[in-house]
Amino acid sequence: MKVDLSGQVWAQFEQAQTRAKHHLDEGRSEEAAAEYRRCANLLRQYSQYAIDASVRKQRLERAEKFDQLAARIQSGLMGQAVSESSALDDYRETVRGLVTKTDVGWDEIGGLEETKREIQTAYALALARKPEGVRMRSPRNILLYGPPGTGKTLLAAATSHELDATFFNVRVSDMLSKYFGESSKLISALYREAGAQAPSVVFLDEFDALTAAREGDESGAERRVLSTLLSELDGLDNKRKDEKHYVLTIAATNIPWQIDKAVISRFGARLIYVPLPDEAARRAILEIEIERKGHASEVSVAALARALGGYSGREIEAVVGHAVASMVRRTNPDLLQQASLGREALAAYTLKVGVLTVADFESAQMAIRPTTTPKDVARFELWRQQIEVE
Ligand SMILES: Nc1ncnc2c1ncn2[C@@H]1O[C@H](COP(=O)(O)OP(=O)(O)O)[C@@H](O)[C@H]1O
Ligand SMILES: [Mg+2]
């Protein structure tokens, strides 16, 4: 049986790094260089556990840097002035890779009027100038919870766009699996970069992946990630307290009850429920998906909104997409033949569009079924009541 020793290797690496820094502080260059070499070797070992080729490469490159650092210390060029910040800078590129462009406007989100207002109030409180002598705690953390496909990502993107902020799009589960033992440093680097590029929105999707230490967390990596994140959410970094360095964290989850109580408490009153769309919201989403995308329909959006009870925004989008595809196939019977003629023929061919019919929507509704059950909804409602009294 192959045993995963990556946690141990990582722990050894961290110990070597601590020793290296200590030697360096005390002016023992020879010993420091030796420990940095050890760091390099351990990182090379550690890189073999990476599943992702790009992560492996990143670790190998970092190992290389430790070797260079060791060489420089030995040659006495840097003397006491050597800092480790170059090693932390390695994360900077990774963190910058999380920056995503968003141009989602509030008007592209159907319904959720109250939710939008709550988010807007949060950042307005934080960003508006306070009268002389008045101090207020302004909200910096928001948790959006609710069934999948209800617009949580959209809301975060629209907030960022509205604030003209740098949008850091982080899927917590990916981060934990890709960077494992390094996740905690990555979070520090993330918030450092967000502060530097402020105003920023840090979007932590699938936030529930960050639960307290699970079994098998021998290296303590997950616990470390959690405590790093908690201190970032507490905003202990003084620089970020003023408006010039505004960093808004928006976390999102479909399973809020799996999140640690200690973590939930960091969000104070900013726990915002993003429910399945009600009839008015479904109608608003349908208008966005049908009318604003230039389609004509023989079924009114009002009738469709009534028929699609229990569907999430994403599912409504899929229903319309399915109906549009049926219509396109019907109105362009020669499309496949055109496709066989190659790209040039296709570029010269203009699609014919027709009216979306009752049959188009009926088959779409048969193909796409809502996945969130009334029981699921009840669970969200219950959790909501629970946190309100706790
Ligand atoms: N309220 C909404 N208004 C318009 N479109 C929506 C809405 N909710 C969901 N959608 C559609 O579903 C897709 C997925 O939504 P998303 O924000 O990623 O859901 P979540 O993050 O809650 O799982 C969006 O890209 C959008 O096309
Ligand atoms: Mg999402």
Side-chain angles (χ1 to χ4, degrees):
M1 193 179 80
K2 196 166 176 289
V3 183
D4 183 359
L5 296 173
S6 62
Q8 282 179 35
V9 175
W10 182 256
Q12 283 173 20
F13 162 75
E14 288 193 318
Q15 285 157 11
Q17 198 180 13
T18 309
R19 285 195 300 270
K21 275 193 247 184
H22 190 65
H23 287 314
L24 205 57
D25 287 344
E26 308 274 311
R28 293 187 295 268
S29 311
E30 221 24 75
E31 287 87 343
E35 291 294 352
Y36 276 129
R37 286 236 160 73
R38 196 159 293 141
C39 287
N41 290 333
L42 286 164
L43 269 181
R44 273 184 212 109
Q45 256 185 59
Y46 186 57
S47 72
Q48 292 166 8
Y49 294 100
I51 300 157
D52 192 293
S54 69
V55 175
R56 192 173 318 130
K57 183 159 162 272
Q58 212 170 21
R59 287 177 187 162
L60 288 174
E61 283 168 5
R62 191 164 170 225
E64 190 60 33
K65 289 205 177 147
F66 274 103
D67 267 340
Q68 287 165 5
L69 188 62
R72 259 192 290 176
I73 293 169
Q74 237 165 4
S75 68
L77 281 177
M78 310 265 305
Q80 305 284 83
V82 176
S83 88
E84 251 244 43
S85 71
S86 70
L88 240 192
D89 278 349
D90 291 358
Y91 293 102
R92 201 156 181 195
E93 282 312 306
T94 308
V95 163
R96 284 186 177 162
L98 298 169
V99 173
T100 311
K101 259 200 80 59
T102 75
D103 50 8
V104 179
W106 290 113
D107 63 339
E108 286 164 61
I109 307 178
L112 299 174
E113 298 308 327
E114 198 192 326
T115 314
K116 289 182 200 169
R117 267 197 302 277
E118 272 191 80
I119 297 176
Q120 287 164 336
T121 311
Y123 67 70
L125 274 178
L127 289 175
R129 214 175 319 166
K130 282 82 189 169
E132 199 69 43
V134 175
R135 264 185 287 170
M136 277 168 71
R137 269 186 68 87
S138 38
R140 257 130 226 275
N141 309 322
I142 294 175
L143 176 71
L144 303 175
Y145 65 96
T150 47
K152 295 181 286 297
T153 303
L154 277 183
L155 287 163
T159 304
S160 189
H161 180 60
E162 180 79 10
L163 291 174
D164 211 358
T166 316
F167 189 59
F168 292 85
N169 193 352
V170 186
R171 189 185 290 228
V172 175
S173 51
D174 279 359
M175 188 191 69
L176 289 176
S177 63
K178 263 194 179 170
Y179 299 99
F180 185 59
E182 292 152 281
S183 307
S184 135
K185 293 220 176 90
L186 200 71
I187 289 179
S188 304
L190 168 65
Y191 276 89
R192 198 164 71 170
E193 188 65 19
Q197 297 201 35
S200 296
V201 169
V202 174
F203 180 55
L204 303 175
D205 204 1
E206 293 181 19
F207 188 65
D208 43 84
L210 245 185
T211 47
R214 276 167 287 208
E215 274 180 62
D217 181 29
E218 277 160 33
S219 67
E222 291 186 15
R223 228 174 313 122
R224 216 156 38 234
V225 171
L226 199 63
S227 69
T228 306
L229 190 86
L230 288 182
S231 68
E232 293 296 350
L233 291 178
D234 287 340
L236 296 180
D237 181 353
N238 267 317
K239 271 212 309 288
R240 271 193 273 116
K241 284 212 170 97
D242 70 89
E243 283 79 59
K244 281 198 283 303
H245 297 277
Y246 187 61
V247 177
L248 177 67
T249 300
I250 303 182
T253 177
N254 305 333
I255 31 177
W257 41 84
Q258 286 193 5
I259 302 174
D260 228 58
K261 281 277 148 59
V263 179
I264 292 288
S265 72
R266 260 44 178 213
F267 293 90
R270 302 287 155 193
L271 299 166
I272 301 179
Y273 182 37
V274 186
L276 283 181
D278 59 16
E279 192 176 319
R282 292 196 295 274
R283 188 174 166 156
I285 296 170
L286 284 160
E287 275 163 7
I288 293 168
E289 293 301 327
I290 297 175
E291 293 167 6
R292 253 198 262 165
K293 292 193 177 164
H295 296 296
S297 166
E298 68 178 26
V299 194
S300 72
V301 287
L304 283 170
R306 269 196 304 281
L308 293 174
Y311 281 72
S312 70
R314 181 184 284 133
E315 286 157 355
I316 293 172
E317 186 191 22
V319 166
V320 177
H322 195 282
V324 168
S326 315
M327 174 273 286
V328 167
R329 275 195 302 274
R330 183 176 60 251
T331 50
N332 300 271
D334 51 343
L335 187 61
L336 274 183
Q337 196 206 331
Q338 295 289 331
S340 69
L341 298 177
R343 240 171 68 186
E344 263 175 54
L346 276 176
Y349 179 86
T350 307
L351 275 182
K352 291 183 267 302
V353 291
V355 175
L356 297 166
T357 62
V358 175
D360 290 335
F361 282 109
E362 272 174 0
S363 73
Q365 211 184 329
M366 297 265 266
I368 293 140
R369 306 301 307 163
T371 54
T372 305
T373 64
K375 208 170 137 206
D376 297 333
V377 173
R379 184 151 194 198
F380 281 107
E381 304 283 353
L382 184 68
W383 191 78
R384 181 183 203 182
Q385 284 177 348
Q386 224 177 316
I387 52 160
E388 268 167 21
V389 295
E390 268 169 15

